[in-house]
Amino acid sequence: DFHIHTCFSDGSVWPSFRVDEAWRNGLDAIAITDHIEYRPKKDYYSKKVNLNTSYEIALKAKGKRDMIIIPGTEITRGKPFGHMNALFVTDADKADVKDQLDALEAMLKQGAYIIWNHPGWPDDKCTMYPLHEELIAKGKIHGVEVFNDIESYPISFDWINKYGLHPFANSDIHCSIEEQYKATRPMTLVF
């Protein structure tokens, strides 16, 4: 699951809880992708907390379990940019800048893998804007969520074929998995 949130953005659980529930669900890898711009609990944090803290806690919680914890963050802006997850980042704090393209570039300089999140949210219009075409043409978007939480975006399969993007199915979970899903959670198979 390459799109999950903790209490360090707008999620309701601690990062170690995310690790435990993913392990119980049989996942081999998760990415902590807390929002940069939306941190409603920030006033409760100590000065030691930064945009990398949730990953650091999750990595420690993993312990000796054979599981991969991927450092990431979510760049959250309005359309046409939308929401982008940056995975495999070394310092999420560097994306905390005003301009969305500067934030994306800061993550790409760290070798980030970029996923365009839930392209149909919030207006149920999956629109490939010229900005997306430009970013894809420049190799700055690598994947797209074809499934997010309980929503699917069938048109994004056309984009995957046309542009050579990788498909993702993620939970974008904010509460506990058990609260949200009665059966199984969305997940991406990686070979």
Side-chain angles (χ1 to χ4, degrees):
D1 194 343
F2 300 102
H3 189 175
I4 61 178
H5 298 285
T6 75
C7 60
F8 288 98
S9 64
D10 59 344
S12 61
V13 304
W14 196 251
S16 58
F17 184 91
R18 287 284 178 239
V19 173
D20 293 340
E21 72 181 358
W23 183 254
R24 285 192 308 272
N25 291 167
L27 272 62
D28 298 309
I30 59 170
I32 304 288
T33 55
D34 282 324
H35 298 277
I36 294 166
E37 300 82 4
Y38 187 57
R39 295 178 275 169
K41 302 169 191 83
K42 189 175 182 180
D43 290 343
Y44 300 101
Y45 302 166
S46 77
K47 292 182 181 182
K48 294 179 182 179
V49 171
N50 62 36
L51 293 168
N52 303 297
T53 302
S54 56
Y55 164 73
E56 292 163 358
I57 293 169
L59 186 61
K60 187 174 181 181
K62 174 188 91 114
K64 295 183 179 184
R65 290 182 265 198
D66 187 18
M67 182 179 196
I68 299 167
I69 310 297
I70 299 167
T73 194
E74 183 170 355
I75 303 167
T76 308
R77 307 294 170 95
K79 286 189 173 185
F81 183 83
H83 297 198
M84 304 279 176
N85 274 351
L87 307 182
F88 304 104
V89 302
T90 56
D91 186 1
D93 276 333
K94 298 218 188 263
D96 193 8
V97 296
K98 186 175 182 179
D99 184 80
Q100 62 208 15
L101 296 178
D102 290 344
L104 188 67
E105 198 60 41
M107 298 298 91
L108 288 164
K109 283 182 182 175
Q110 297 177 28
Y113 180 97
I114 306 298
I115 302 171
W116 178 11
N117 296 341
H118 42 67
W121 189 87
D123 55 10
D124 292 330
K125 296 176 185 171
C126 282
T127 305
M128 173 72 73
Y129 291 96
L131 174 62
H132 298 119
E133 290 176 336
E134 178 184 340
L135 291 171
I136 291 168
K138 292 180 177 179
K140 295 183 178 186
I141 294 177
H142 308 104
V144 63
E145 278 185 341
V146 297
F147 196 89
N148 173 287
D149 186 24
I150 59 169
E151 296 179 356
S152 63
Y153 312 103
I155 194 169
S156 60
F157 283 103
D158 295 338
W159 305 338
I160 286 163
N161 292 327
K162 181 177 180 180
Y163 297 107
L165 300 172
H166 301 127
F168 285 83
N170 297 314
S171 69
D172 191 7
I173 194 69
H174 291 75
C175 59
S176 73
I177 286 292
E178 289 78 13
E179 286 177 71
Q180 185 73 16
Y181 302 105
K182 302 301 179 220
T184 188
R185 67 193 288 162
M187 62 183 77
T188 302
L189 297 178
V190 179
F191 298 98

